[in-house]
Amino acid sequence: MRKNTKLAVGFASVTALALGLTACGTSSDPASKDDAGSADKALVVAASPTPHADILKFVKDNLAAKEGLKLEVKEFTDYVLPNTATQNGQVDANFFQHKPYLDDFNAKNKTTIVPVVNVHLEPLGLYSKSVKSLKDIKAGQTVAVPNDTTNEGRALHLLADNGLITLKDGVGTDAKLSDITDKKGLEFKELEAATVPRALNDVDAAVINGNYAIEADLSPAKDALVLEKGEGNPYANLLAVKKGNEQDARVQKLAKLLNSPEVKKYIEDTYKGSVIPAFGAAK
């Protein structure tokens, strides 16, 4: 088992305690806020291992010292704990998600996490170990898709845009299986996003998030049967914090570095189109 999995479990075990402290008002202690914003204290950022933690480690090793920023990276392997840890003050910020997912998470969990800056796009792709091209996907075959609201909707739009299914007119980013008007004979298997790559041997094709594809030794730019387009894509991954912490000097320094020419070059050289720089204000 990878050490980041153990870390995620460890953070899960203290979530209840952190929630209790929040309920008792400890997290609103003015002294705690002053300490959290202290410029000489390390900024702790929760991140998915690839590419998020890798990008942060590049910043830490190559850029942070020049800005007087102390940076600590905590790796998580799921899409829930980074937000709960940020909300509860276990970490100062997170870097793993796009805005539609964040909006959905806040609405469902009554959290108050806000975006700071966009960093990159991980194009969602359709992969298969049994078929070689899009035209080989036929009626009767099974396609795995992520089961969280925003990524499932994103996956279904990718399939619809490429003629594999038909969706209801006007359906938005939260499209679900019931919004399919013509499955064209396909069957669907809904799985947690992180587990979809492991299902490739059990299904005919799977829609996989870019970071999980890379972790599974897939090259989105080369291996995907079809890949999301970057232009006009609303799914840029972003740096996020609990509301009220946006102006923390350490957060602002990290935001500046994540949108720097050095990080742009690192992303382009390292991921070669499988991850795309998508800098700018997160709205």
Side-chain angles (χ1 to χ4, degrees), residues 4-259:
N4 50 26
T5 303
K6 292 180 181 178
L7 180 61
V9 172
F11 268 79
S13 67
V14 299
T15 298
L17 175 59
L19 285 169
L21 292 173
T22 301
C24 293
T26 304
S27 64
S28 62
D29 188 323
S32 297
K33 286 187 177 182
D34 289 342
D35 290 342
S38 176
D40 60 359
K41 186 176 181 181
L43 183 73
V44 183
V45 185
S48 299
T50 303
H52 308 80
D54 295 334
I55 294 171
L56 289 171
K57 288 173 184 175
F58 171 80
V59 170
K60 178 179 179 180
D61 294 342
N62 298 277
L63 306 174
K66 294 178 182 178
E67 290 290 330
L69 174 65
K70 295 179 182 178
L71 186 61
E72 184 178 345
V73 182
K74 299 289 187 183
E75 295 186 15
F76 290 78
T77 57
D78 78 322
Y79 280 175
V80 175
L81 288 175
N83 274 336
T84 57
T86 302
Q87 183 71 27
N88 296 331
Q90 294 168 264
V91 298
D92 301 304
N94 67 56
F95 177 34
F96 77 100
Q97 65 193 323
H98 49 62
K99 183 67 160 48
Y101 179 84
L102 174 59
D103 290 343
D104 182 70
F105 189 94
N106 279 334
K108 289 180 176 177
N109 296 279
K110 301 188 186 315
T111 45
T112 56
I113 301 167
V114 295
V116 178
V117 69
N118 289 332
V119 181
H120 72 267
L121 174 71
E122 301 164 14
L124 203 70
L126 179 68
Y127 300 83
S128 177
K129 289 191 174 181
S130 59
V131 302
K132 301 298 183 184
S133 68
L134 205 62
K135 61 181 176 56
D136 295 326
I137 297 179
K138 308 292 185 183
Q141 294 181 327
T142 300
V143 179
V145 296
N147 66 0
D148 61 275
T149 303
T150 54
N151 283 306
E152 181 168 86
R154 187 179 175 188
L156 295 180
H157 278 286
L158 177 68
L159 297 177
D161 289 344
N162 288 277
L164 293 177
I165 61 172
T166 302
L167 291 172
K168 293 177 183 176
D169 289 340
V171 67
T173 57
D174 59 349
K176 47 192 178 294
L177 294 183
S178 59
D179 292 316
I180 301 175
T181 57
D182 186 358
K183 293 184 177 181
K184 301 191 178 180
L186 296 176
E187 300 293 329
F188 292 92
K189 188 172 186 178
E190 297 172 293
L191 299 169
E192 184 183 353
T195 69
V196 176
R198 297 198 291 273
L200 267 180
N201 289 323
D202 303 317
V203 296
D204 299 289
V207 180
I208 303 176
N209 291 70
N211 60 315
Y212 291 131
I214 295 168
E215 287 179 27
D217 294 324
L218 295 167
S219 172
K222 295 179 180 178
D223 297 330
L225 301 179
V226 64
L227 202 62
E228 269 183 331
K229 296 178 181 178
E231 186 175 353
N233 195 307
Y235 296 103
N237 281 219
L238 51 85
L239 178 69
V241 298
K242 185 177 180 180
K243 187 174 182 180
N245 294 334
E246 303 96 312
Q247 299 306 315
D248 184 317
R250 301 166 303 160
V251 171
Q252 289 298 310
K253 287 179 181 179
L254 179 57
K256 174 184 173 182
L257 293 175
L258 285 172
N259 273 197

